[in-house]
Amino acid sequence: MDTAAIVSLLDGHPWSRTVRVLDSVDSTNNLAKKQAREGAPAGTVIIADRQSAGRGRLGRDFLSPGGVGIYFSVILRPGCPPQQLMHLTCAAAVAMADATEAACGFRPGIKWTNDLVVGSKKLCGILTELSVSPSTGLVDYAVVGIGINCRQKPEDFDESIRNMACSVEMVTGKAMDRNILAAEMIRAMSRLDARLLTEKSAILEAYRRDCITLGRQISVVRGLSIRHGTARGVDEEGALVVDFDDGTTEAVSSGEVSIRGLYGYV
Ligand code: BTN
């Protein structure tokens, strides 16, 4: 991947002025947050070929070897209260499905909230981080970090995730150019930025269409508690509405949700 190739594919797009591709970084989210604190504008994009300390949700590591994935972070500055951004991660997942469809010719599904999957395997993960200004109570910046598997063969994945992960090349069977997908990711994130606060219902409607969790039997893990139920819907804040087997219904917005039949959960 290289900056010049992505800039040329972006063909004058305003965000092409603020894209930077690095060979290696600890975490593109860490660097994007540092740049956001130093005043970098919305639309600043950092892409790395590898990460030495990639981070996933729930404090997990995100393995980020060189030459095979896209590790991507973008700074947004919506300037609203954080309560108005509950749907940001859902919006980012739809944007990534759009980018994958445009660049790679297939549309992944979304496992609530923010994994892109093909069949029963994970293609992409998203980590969103917000900073709120203590003086105004408004969001100072949001960093959306995306890691997508592109060129891996099954044997390239660590044994611990091999039967739960896939890559674009494993899906299409064709060699891919990561610059093309990176450029589509930038276009999709910029469209998201333009409609995030004004088209929330339409974004969530698109999310529901892509969400493979709906109608499935799931388990919700929070600390030591594990509850089983059926995923019934996604509400207007992006929370998963679950009919639990004990007869209660709740909107779940945190915790880990496993789907029966996916990622080895039986
Ligand atoms: C997850 O699946 O738990 C989320 C993974 C998010 C990984 C991306 S890679 C780019 C950005 N930098 C990071 O350190 N994490 C995100």
Side-chain angles (χ1 to χ4, degrees), residues 27-29 51 54-57 62 72-73 122 125-126 145-147:
S27 151
T28 55
N29 265 33
Q51 299 183 117
R55 295 184 290 106
R57 289 176 63 240
F62 187 79
F72 174 110
S73 297
K122 177 165 169 171
I126 300 172
I146 300 159

Side-chain angles (χ1 to χ4, degrees), residues 59-125:
R60 294 186 181 133
D61 293 338
F62 187 79
L63 295 174
S64 311
V68 288
I70 299 175
Y71 313 109
F72 174 110
S73 297
V74 59
I75 298 172
L76 305 178
R77 294 195 185 269
C80 60
Q83 300 83 335
Q84 287 178 22
L85 283 188
M86 302 296 280
H87 65 307
L88 173 59
T89 300
C90 293
V94 175
M96 273 310 300
D98 290 346
T100 308
E101 188 170 23
C104 311
F106 68 93
R107 189 169 186 88
I110 300 170
K111 172 187 172 288
W112 187 89
T113 44
N114 55 357
D115 282 357
L116 263 60
V117 298
V118 179
S120 62
K121 295 187 173 173
K122 177 165 169 171
L123 180 76
C124 168

Side-chain angles (χ1 to χ4, degrees), residues 1-262:
M1 280 185 295
D2 86 289
T3 311
I6 294 172
V7 168
S8 139
L9 286 161
L10 284 171
D11 198 20
H13 187 287
W15 287 13
S16 62
R17 292 191 284 275
T18 45
V19 186
R20 202 166 133 214
V21 179
L22 305 169
D23 285 340
S24 182
V25 68
D26 60 347
S27 151
T28 55
N29 265 33
N30 290 354
L31 183 56
K33 288 198 294 182
K34 177 171 178 290
Q35 294 195 352
R37 284 192 297 271
E38 292 167 357
T44 299
V45 173
I46 296 169
I47 299 172
D49 184 59
R50 73 178 277 276
Q51 299 183 117
S52 54
R55 295 184 290 106
R57 289 176 63 240
L58 307 169
R60 294 186 181 133
D61 293 338
F62 187 79
L63 295 174
S64 311
V68 288
I70 299 175
Y71 313 109
F72 174 110
S73 297
V74 59
I75 298 172
L76 305 178
R77 294 195 185 269
C80 60
Q83 300 83 335
Q84 287 178 22
L85 283 188
M86 302 296 280
H87 65 307
L88 173 59
T89 300
C90 293
V94 175
M96 273 310 300
D98 290 346
T100 308
E101 188 170 23
C104 311
F106 68 93
R107 189 169 186 88
I110 300 170
K111 172 187 172 288
W112 187 89
T113 44
N114 55 357
D115 282 357
L116 263 60
V117 298
V118 179
S120 62
K121 295 187 173 173
K122 177 165 169 171
L123 180 76
C124 168
I126 300 172
L127 174 68
T128 303
E129 299 183 277
L130 294 186
S131 172
V132 176
S133 157
S135 54
T136 63
L138 302 176
V139 173
D140 181 23
Y141 63 81
V143 166
V144 181
I146 300 159
I148 176 158
N149 303 324
C150 296
R151 309 215 55 195
Q152 287 93 336
K153 300 178 179 54
E155 58 273 23
D156 295 329
F157 289 109
D158 189 81
E159 215 172 311
S160 58
I161 56 169
R162 195 168 296 159
N163 58 8
M164 305 176 220
C166 68
S167 69
V168 170
E169 289 195 359
M170 285 164 63
V171 174
T172 62
K174 288 192 289 210
M176 71 168 291
D177 177 347
R178 286 176 295 161
N179 294 312
I180 294 175
L181 178 53
E184 288 300 336
M185 289 165 73
I186 293 169
R187 288 184 195 281
M189 290 307 297
S190 136
R191 286 193 299 269
L192 170 155
D193 187 44
R195 62 198 291 254
L196 186 62
L197 299 177
T198 52
E199 292 180 45
K200 186 171 159 181
S201 289
I203 291 170
L204 284 163
E205 211 33 60
Y207 184 87
R208 291 180 192 107
R209 282 195 294 274
D210 285 329
C211 184
I212 58 141
T213 310
L214 298 182
R216 305 278 289 265
Q217 282 182 282
I218 60 161
S219 69
V220 180
V221 181
R222 283 196 196 111
L224 292 178
S225 126
I226 303 183
R227 299 176 73 197
H228 299 281
T230 304
R232 179 152 60 83
V234 171
D235 73 12
E236 281 300 291
E237 307 304 323
L240 187 67
V241 180
V242 182
D243 290 333
F244 284 107
D245 293 350
D246 63 9
T248 60
T249 296
E250 271 177 44
V252 172
S253 52
S254 64
E256 182 164 24
V257 170
S258 305
I259 303 177
R260 195 174 275 270
L262 207 79

